[in-house]
Amino acid sequence: MTDNIDEVRISLQKFGWPDYSIFLAMLSICAAIGVYFGFFEKKSKSIGDEADYLVGGRNMKIFPVAMSLIASFISGISLLGTPTEIYIYGISYFYIMGGIIITGFVMMTVYLPVFHDLKLTSTYEYLQTRFDRKMRLFGGILFIFSQIVWLPIVIFVPALAFNQVSGIDIHMITPITCICCIFYTCVGGMKAVIYTDVVQSLMMFGAMLLVIIKGTYDIGGLDVVITRNVESGRIEAPDTSFDLTSRHTIYSLWIGGFVYWLKANAISQNMIQRYLSLPNLESAKRALWIFIFGVFILLSICCYCGLLIYATYNECDPLTTKLVKAKDQLLPLLVVDILGDYPGLVGMFVAGVFSAALSSLSTGLNSLSAVLLEDFFKPFSKTPLTEKQTKYIMRGVVVVFGAICVALVFVVERLGSVLMLSMSLGSIAQGPLLGVFTCGVMFPWVTGTGALVGSATALSFMTWLCISAQRAITTGELKFDTKEISTSGCTYHFIPDDSMSMLAINVTAPTTPSTPTSSDFQIYHVSYLWYTFLGTLICIIVSLIISYIFGPNNPAELNPNLLAPFVRKLINRSSSTDVTKPSKCNLIKASESIYVPESPSMKRAYHNGDDVESRL
C-alpha cells in the first residue's frame, strides 16, 4: 500500500476546463431553446397563451414527446441509484421490467383514453368532474406535497456526483443549474421543456453508453464482467417465493412494480401533461410504447453499470474503504477512474446526469404551474382571470417553486440517513392517488363521499406504514441483505468505520429489507414494492364500502366519457337506461358529452380564461 485514502480521493478529481466547457455548453443549449420558444417562435392566436404554455398547443410531435417522457421519468436518482442497487443487492431489480410492460397495456386501455378524450390540462380536474370539488383539492394538495419533497432530492443527487468528480461544493453548482432550468421553463413553457428534454435524453444515453463501452473494454471484456458477478451471486434467477417480506420476489416486482409504475405514469400530472400535448389518442399510444422501449434500454444500461462497478472493484469495495462518502457516488467513481485521463469525457457524463435532473425539475415545475393555475387560482377566483394575470401566475409559480426547491437542498443535505424517510413521505400519496383515480375510471358505483373517505383512510395507513418501516430500519429491527464484498485487493491505506452513516439513494423508493430480525410478522415488514399496491387496494375497498353504505351511484347516470372504455361497454350491455340525462350534471357540449356539476365554483373553473369549447 502506497497512498492513504485522502490522497487517492483527491487524485480522482480530474475535472478540467474541457469538462467544464461541455457542462456549460449543455446549460447554454437548454437556455437557448427556452429563449427561442419564449421570444422568437410564432404562436397561433387561436390556441392562446395558456394552452401553448402548459400543453404545447396540443399539437406536439410523437418522438420529442416520447423522449421527453423518458428524460422526465429517469431522474438522476435513477441513473445513479440503479447501478448502486445492482452493486449492493444484485440484479433482481431488473426483473421489474415485466411489471413495466404490463403497465403499458393497462395504461393504453384504461387510463389514457379517459384523460385524452376529456382534453384536460390538470389531471385533478377529472376528480371534480367525476366526484366533487373536495376530491379535486385533495388530489392537488397531495401532488404539490409530493413534488416539494421529491424535487430537492432530484437536484441534490447529481450535485453529489459533481462534487465527487470535481470537489466543488454542491451549493455552488445547484443554484447555477437550477437558475438555468427555471429560466427556460419559465419563458419557454411546455415546448421548451420537451425540446430540452430531447437534448438531455440524448446526453443521458450517450454518457451511459460511453461508460459501459470503455469500462467493459478496460476490464477485459463482457465475459469477465459476467463471470465475476455470477460468482458473487449478483446475477441470479428471480425469487419465486411467496414471502411478502422478501425484498424482491417475482411477484413483488411484477405486481407491486406494475402498480408503482402505473401510478407514476398513468395518473401523474408530470407524465399525463405530455401525453395531452399530442393531438390525438393514437399519437399518445405510440409515444407510450416508445417511452417503455426507451426505459427498457436505459434501465438495462444502468443495471449493467452496476455489474460493471462490481467487476471493477470486486477486490476493493469503495464503500468499506470510504473512497466514496455516499452510496450514490459509486458510478461517478467508476467514471473518473476509467475516463479521467480523457479530457471532456467526465464532463459529458456529469452533463448527462445533470440532464436527467434538469428534465425532472423542469417537468415538475411546469406541472406545478398547471395544477396551481387550474385547481387553485381559477376555481377560487371571483372573476375570470385575464390573459395577463394567467401569464403572470403560470410563470410566477415556476419561479417561486424553483426557488423553494433550491432552498430545500440545504435541508436535504442535513437529513443524512433520514433522507430515506423523506423519500418515504413522498411515496405515501402514491397509493391513495392511484386508488381514487382507479375508482373513478373503473368503479362507477363509487361516490364522492366514498372516494374521499377511502383516500383519506389509505393516506393515514400509508403514513403509519412508511414511518413504522423507517423506524424499524433505524433501530435495526429490519436489516438489509446485501451481496458479498471484499477489500483484500486494496492498494491504499484506509480505516474502515462500520458505524459510518452513509446516504442511501434507492432507485424508486426507500427499501424495506427482506429479513426482519423479529420473529413476529408486522405489516411494515413487507417489501417496499408492495407499498403503492396496499395503498391503492385499501382506497378502493373502503371507497366501495362507504359508497354502498350511503347509496352508490347509478352507473347508467354517469357520463360514459369519465369511465374506461371497457367499463362503458359493460354498462351498455347491462342496462337499457338512457345515459344522456345524468341526474346531477349539466350537459355543456353535446358533441363532446362532457358534464360539469352544477356548482357555481365548477362553472367558474371551466369558464375562466377561455370558453368551454376552446378548452375541449
Side-chain angles (χ1 to χ4, degrees):
M1 297 187 182
T2 58
D3 300 320
N4 62 43
I5 188 66
D6 293 328
E7 292 172 341
V8 174
R9 191 182 295 120
I10 293 173
S11 69
L12 290 172
Q13 295 175 351
K14 303 175 181 179
F15 208 74
W17 68 265
D19 304 291
Y20 285 107
S21 299
I22 291 177
F23 183 72
L24 292 175
M26 182 270 292
L27 294 180
S28 300
I29 292 172
C30 293
I33 292 173
V35 169
Y36 171 76
F37 285 108
F39 300 105
F40 294 100
E41 187 207 24
K42 294 182 179 179
K43 295 179 174 60
S44 173
K45 294 183 179 180
S46 62
I47 295 176
D49 184 68
E50 178 184 338
D52 186 81
Y53 188 86
L54 296 177
V55 288
R58 303 190 190 274
N59 196 32
M60 299 298 295
K61 303 298 182 182
I62 296 175
F63 183 75
V65 170
M67 296 299 286
S68 177
L69 289 167
I70 296 170
S72 301
F73 196 85
I74 304 296
S75 66
I77 297 174
S78 299
L79 289 184
L80 299 180
T82 307
T84 300
E85 163 74 26
I86 303 304
Y87 176 82
I88 297 177
Y89 300 107
I91 203 173
S92 59
Y93 179 79
F94 178 72
Y95 299 120
I96 201 173
M97 278 307 308
I100 296 174
I101 294 173
I102 298 173
T103 297
F105 286 103
V106 173
M107 182 178 175
M108 179 181 68
T109 57
V110 177
Y111 298 89
L112 197 56
V114 175
F115 291 128
H116 223 282
D117 289 347
L118 294 176
K119 302 294 183 185
L120 304 176
T121 300
S122 165
T123 55
Y124 305 105
E125 292 180 68
Y126 171 83
L127 295 181
Q128 180 164 351
T129 310
R130 172 64 176 83
F131 298 116
D132 52 41
R133 183 178 179 180
K134 294 189 296 291
M135 285 308 306
R136 182 178 186 176
L137 294 177
F138 182 82
I141 291 171
L142 287 185
F143 171 76
I144 294 170
F145 168 78
S146 63
Q147 293 299 297
I148 291 178
V149 170
W150 181 62
L151 290 178
I153 302 173
V154 168
I155 303 169
F156 178 68
V157 172
L160 284 177
F162 198 95
N163 172 262
Q164 172 69 24
V165 302
S166 68
I168 294 179
D169 186 81
I170 62 171
H171 299 301
M172 290 182 63
I173 191 61
T174 51
I176 296 174
T177 53
C178 290
I179 287 173
C180 176
C181 182
I182 292 169
F183 171 76
Y184 72 72
T185 305
C186 179
V187 301
M190 174 62 80
K191 291 181 179 179
V193 171
I194 287 178
Y195 282 101
T196 53
D197 283 351
V198 172
V199 175
Q200 291 160 354
S201 60
L202 293 176
M203 292 289 293
M204 281 192 293
F205 277 102
M208 300 302 284
L209 285 172
L210 183 65
V211 172
I212 64 173
I213 292 172
K214 181 62 166 59
T216 303
Y217 174 79
D218 287 350
I219 208 171
L222 178 62
D223 57 331
V224 176
V225 177
I226 300 300
T227 300
R228 290 180 179 177
N229 280 278
V230 169
E231 291 175 350
S232 70
R234 281 169 172 78
I235 297 180
E236 56 188 349
D239 182 0
T240 57
S241 70
F242 291 94
D243 185 4
L244 293 177
T245 64
S246 181
R247 187 168 179 273
H248 286 160
T249 67
I250 193 65
Y251 308 104
S252 65
L253 288 163
W254 280 35
I255 301 174
F258 149 66
V259 177
Y260 172 84
W261 274 71
L262 187 64
K263 185 276 160 191
N265 196 37
I267 66 166
S268 171
Q269 175 70 23
N270 294 356
M271 305 297 283
I272 289 295
Q273 199 168 335
R274 272 141 191 75
Y275 291 113
L276 297 180
S277 70
L278 292 163
N280 52 57
L281 180 59
E282 289 304 314
S283 298
K285 290 180 179 179
R286 293 177 185 177
L288 168 64
W289 286 107
I290 295 174
F291 161 74
I292 290 178
F293 178 75
V295 167
F296 175 79
I297 298 298
L298 197 55
L299 183 60
S300 300
I301 292 173
C302 290
C303 288
Y304 181 79
C305 282
L307 300 178
L308 185 60
I309 293 172
Y310 176 76
T312 304
Y313 302 110
N314 66 307
E315 294 184 347
C316 188
D317 174 44
L319 296 175
T320 303
T321 66
K322 297 186 289 186
L323 184 58
V324 293
K325 298 178 180 179
K327 293 179 182 178
D328 48 290
Q329 290 180 321
L330 283 170
L331 184 58
L333 172 67
L334 177 68
V335 170
V336 295
D337 212 356
I338 65 177
L339 301 176
D341 294 331
Y342 299 89
L345 294 188
V346 176
M348 180 178 176
F349 168 79
V350 173
V353 174
F354 259 101
S355 292
L358 293 179
S359 63
S360 299
L361 178 59
S362 62
T363 297
L365 294 177
N366 189 256
S367 298
L368 282 168
S369 180
V371 170
L372 265 294
L373 176 66
E374 298 294 335
D375 299 327
F376 291 89
F377 282 97
K378 283 188 174 182
F380 291 99
S381 176
K382 295 181 179 180
T383 59
L385 297 174
T386 64
E387 183 176 340
K388 189 175 183 179
Q389 288 175 324
T390 301
K391 181 178 179 180
Y392 284 148
I393 290 172
M394 292 187 298
R395 288 157 175 79
V397 168
V398 172
V399 174
V400 171
F401 277 87
I404 291 174
C405 291
V406 174
L408 287 177
V409 171
F410 288 87
V411 179
V412 170
E413 181 188 25
R414 287 163 174 78
L415 289 177
S417 60
V418 187
L419 181 58
M420 290 205 302
L421 176 59
S422 70
M423 295 181 68
S424 268
L425 294 177
S427 68
I428 286 172
Q430 293 175 354
L433 279 175
L434 179 60
V436 74
F437 275 100
T438 302
C439 285
V441 300
M442 295 182 63
F443 299 95
W445 309 277
V446 174
T447 63
T449 300
L452 182 61
V453 175
S455 55
T457 303
L459 182 65
S460 301
F461 173 81
M462 293 307 300
T463 301
W464 171 83
L465 177 70
C466 293
I467 293 177
S468 298
Q470 290 302 316
R471 184 176 62 249
I473 293 171
T474 303
T475 60
E477 179 184 346
L478 298 179
K479 295 181 180 179
F480 294 90
D481 294 332
T482 60
K483 298 299 182 181
E484 66 178 44
I485 55 175
S486 173
T487 56
S488 61
C490 294
T491 58
Y492 52 84
H493 293 282
F494 65 93
I495 302 176
D497 182 7
D498 294 334
S499 65
M500 180 182 64
S501 176
M502 290 187 297
L503 178 67
I505 297 294
N506 193 17
V507 58
T508 54
T511 56
T512 299
S514 59
T515 307
T517 59
S518 172
S519 59
D520 297 328
F521 172 79
Q522 301 290 340
I523 187 64
Y524 55 82
H525 290 171
V526 300
S527 168
Y528 73 98
L529 287 170
W530 293 112
Y531 283 7
T532 305
F533 176 84
L534 287 173
T536 302
L537 188 64
I538 291 171
C539 179
I540 293 174
I541 292 174
V542 174
S543 297
L544 285 168
I545 293 173
I546 296 299
S547 296
Y548 272 95
I549 289 176
F550 291 96
N553 287 329
N554 182 350
E557 294 182 348
L558 284 179
N559 168 27
N561 282 5
L562 299 173
L563 305 173
F566 79 93
V567 178
R568 302 172 197 171
K569 294 179 180 178
L570 291 175
I571 292 175
N572 288 336
R573 290 176 183 175
S574 62
S575 175
S576 59
T577 305
D578 183 6
V579 299
T580 63
K581 298 179 180 180
S583 61
K584 298 181 180 179
C585 302
N586 281 336
L587 180 60
I588 62 174
K589 187 177 180 184
S591 61
E592 295 290 342
S593 298
I594 306 298
Y595 298 98
V596 182
E598 294 179 346
S599 67
S601 61
M602 187 57 185
K603 291 181 178 179
R604 284 199 302 270
Y606 274 81
H607 288 79
N608 253 312
D610 302 309
D611 61 21
V612 175
E613 293 192 344
S614 67
R615 289 172 53 81
L616 297 175

